[in-house]
Amino acid sequence: MKSVEEYLRDAEQAHGHLCAGQVLGVRMAMLGLQKLGIDDPRGKDRKRLVTFVEIDRCATDAVGVVTGCRLGKRALKFRDWGKVAATFVDVSTGKAIRIAARESSKDLARQMHQEIADKNQQQMRAYREMPDDDLFALQWVKVELPPEEFPGYKGERVTCANCGEGINFRREVRRDGKNLCRACAGESYYELQ
Ligand SMILES: [Zn+2]
Ligand SMILES: [Zn+2]
């Protein structure tokens, strides 16, 4: 693994700026990997890890930079829960650890660096210095990962009986003996104009 500083430089490049969220994300991912004993996530261990992120903000980009897990590789799973938290799953052992940023870390950052007026700067500094235990809460968890959730899953592609679009990874909904895509099954996030 690289150092915090090296990862922060990488994260800054990938994300477009350096911010408190990047520091949180880098440290969160490094801690997760360390707890799982994964030390080369982009090299020899690159197929061992699946990461669930619970927010689509700054920290998420940094988690991707450190872990190498990406949406397009199916190794990054997004659960839109609005929480600065992530679960790191070692698929080779089944071990998984969920790490959440502590609510108290913001107040602690203020206490640590009252002399810094800018909140982002203040948190950036404090989040680099704070011990892991002050920054994060850890839980060992179990994550049910069916075969179709694995990055390398090769499954059959089915066609929606209603719209004719192809559906991968068993995302179809079976209804009255027909395969429907989730949009046609009523879960659509859009309406036709
Ligand atoms: Zn940011
Ligand atoms: Zn459809």
Side-chain angles (χ1 to χ4, degrees), residues 15-22 57-59 61 120:
H15 181 64
H17 63 246
L18 199 57
C19 61
Q22 300 295 299
R57 274 211 63 196
C58 303
D61 279 349
N120 186 48

Side-chain angles (χ1 to χ4, degrees), residues 31-38 86-90 93-99 137-143:
L31 183 60
L33 294 178
Q34 183 202 320
K35 292 287 173 188
L36 292 173
I38 293 178
T87 298
F88 304 89
V89 185
D90 183 343
T93 62
K95 276 170 72 176
I97 190 157
R98 182 175 178 274
I99 304 182
L138 275 65
Q139 299 165 297
W140 287 101
V141 296
K142 189 169 162 38
V143 178

Side-chain angles (χ1 to χ4, degrees), residues 160 162-164 181 184:
C160 175
N162 188 52
C163 70
C181 73
C184 292

